[in-house]
Amino acid sequence: MQDLSTRAVLGRAALIGLVTGIIPTAIIWADLQEELYGTALLSAMFLLAIILGTVGAQMAGLPRWGMAGLVGGSATWLLIGALAVLVPVPASELFGPLPALVAPIYVVGGVVGFALSAWSFMSPLRWWAVALAVVVPFGSWGAAQYKPQILAWFEVRSFERSGVPLIAPAIQGYRLVHVDLNAAGQRESEPSTWLEYWRDATPNRGFSEIQVTVWPAPAGNPRDSCLAVTEDYGVPLRCKSLPGDRWVRTGAGSSWVTVFARSGDALVMLNGSSIAEADLVAALSTFRPISAYELAMVT
């Protein structure tokens, strides 16, 4: 066991870390698919990583395999945690399927963590073991301090690369409270941004909200969009045309009014509650360019 070269030790340890690093990827994938994520599951998987690391170290004939497996499994998990913070899971709108991004990141944590641990036990001083035990946890904590900024960067990139025109109305008396980026999928052939505006209630008037959806121009035209009712409102709906290729949809006995129109190279929809039709139509003229950063800060 002790006669292995440095290259052989690092190679075998990297292979063990490769196997161990796949586990967190499976955990997160299961979380997104079945919502299994939790403290108990994380603890069980952490223990499993140590067990697999120890068994793997023994089978690979690593020097001091018992300690190498324990420290290697722990270091692997801690490094993966740091990488998960530094490179958080972004929205699928930007990067597509989750495993394509997460698997390489977590595998790097496994390979590097276990290789460094095995290397540390080749030295009588074992200073790498001390460094891993001190630096890695503090590195994870330090990385966590920048998580909001990193997540914000991903949000900005998502809006920039979405293909949706970056515009939004500036509706007097209303404030933008929420923004969602919706990817193209089975229900929608084109991506879109969804913006929600609120006007707070006062002693003289009630609460009101306006929902705005922005699509790229190829998503359709105002007339067809108005007539293509995809939800059951429980009331008769009708569409009427206005000058400038604008269409208004209303329902008998409903307080909601929906307006469809074009704004530059975008198809837009404004859906208002407790707001006059004329005011909703007038809001069309308030559409202005908005930066991806401004949209991301609202989400």
Side-chain angles (χ1 to χ4, degrees):
M1 288 185 182
Q2 303 298 330
D3 296 330
L4 292 176
S5 67
T6 300
R7 178 177 298 180
V9 169
L10 291 177
R12 296 183 185 189
L15 182 59
I16 298 170
L18 175 68
V19 175
T20 307
I22 293 174
I23 296 173
T25 306
I27 294 175
I28 292 188
W29 178 248
D31 170 35
L32 294 185
Q33 299 300 311
E34 305 292 342
E35 298 183 355
L36 299 176
Y37 204 71
T39 303
L41 183 60
L42 281 177
S43 300
M45 300 312 288
F46 174 69
L47 179 60
L48 181 59
I50 294 177
I51 293 174
L52 288 177
T54 303
V55 172
Q58 182 185 28
M59 294 178 63
L62 296 183
R64 302 181 180 91
W65 59 265
M67 289 301 298
L70 175 62
V71 175
S74 302
T76 293
W77 199 260
L78 289 169
L79 271 175
I80 287 171
L83 290 172
V85 172
L86 286 170
V87 187
V89 179
S92 60
E93 290 86 347
L94 179 59
F95 287 100
L98 176 70
L101 176 72
V102 173
I105 295 170
Y106 286 9
V107 166
V108 166
V111 171
V112 173
F114 216 95
L116 288 178
S117 299
W119 187 20
S120 73
F121 285 99
M122 293 188 67
S123 168
L125 297 177
R126 303 179 186 178
W127 66 275
W128 270 108
V130 177
L132 286 172
V134 176
V135 173
V136 172
F138 279 100
S140 301
W141 177 84
Q145 309 312 303
Y146 293 95
K147 186 172 183 178
Q149 292 89 333
I150 297 170
L151 288 173
W153 183 86
F154 274 116
E155 291 284 353
V156 171
R157 293 287 290 167
S158 296
F159 283 108
E160 289 176 344
R161 300 181 60 174
S162 68
V164 181
L166 299 182
I167 59 172
I171 310 173
Q172 185 175 5
Y174 287 79
R175 56 190 173 91
L176 180 59
V177 297
H178 189 75
V179 177
D180 275 332
L181 176 61
N182 303 310
Q186 294 180 348
R187 297 185 60 184
E188 297 286 347
S189 60
E190 297 286 343
S192 64
T193 53
W194 184 85
L195 306 93
E196 186 175 7
Y197 291 79
W198 285 1
R199 185 186 67 185
D200 296 330
T202 68
N204 300 320
R205 65 163 188 256
F207 169 82
S208 177
E209 68 174 303
I210 298 176
Q211 301 168 353
V212 178
T213 306
V214 180
W215 296 274
N221 59 69
R223 175 184 178 278
D224 292 345
S225 298
C226 186
L227 295 174
V229 179
T230 58
E231 298 180 47
D232 182 9
Y233 290 89
V235 296
L237 300 173
R238 71 183 187 92
C239 287
K240 67 177 182 180
S241 64
L242 298 177
D245 195 22
R246 298 173 297 177
W247 287 76
V248 179
R249 185 167 68 199
T250 56
S254 172
S255 63
W256 288 90
V257 178
T258 308
V259 176
F260 298 86
R262 290 204 181 279
S263 180
D265 57 352
L267 171 68
V268 300
M269 178 184 76
L270 289 82
N271 196 32
S273 169
S274 302
I275 181 173
E277 175 184 316
D279 293 336
L280 199 61
V281 172
L284 289 171
S285 63
T286 68
F287 273 89
R288 299 289 186 273
I290 188 170
S291 69
Y293 177 82
E294 291 176 280
L295 291 174
M297 291 304 100
V298 179
T299 59

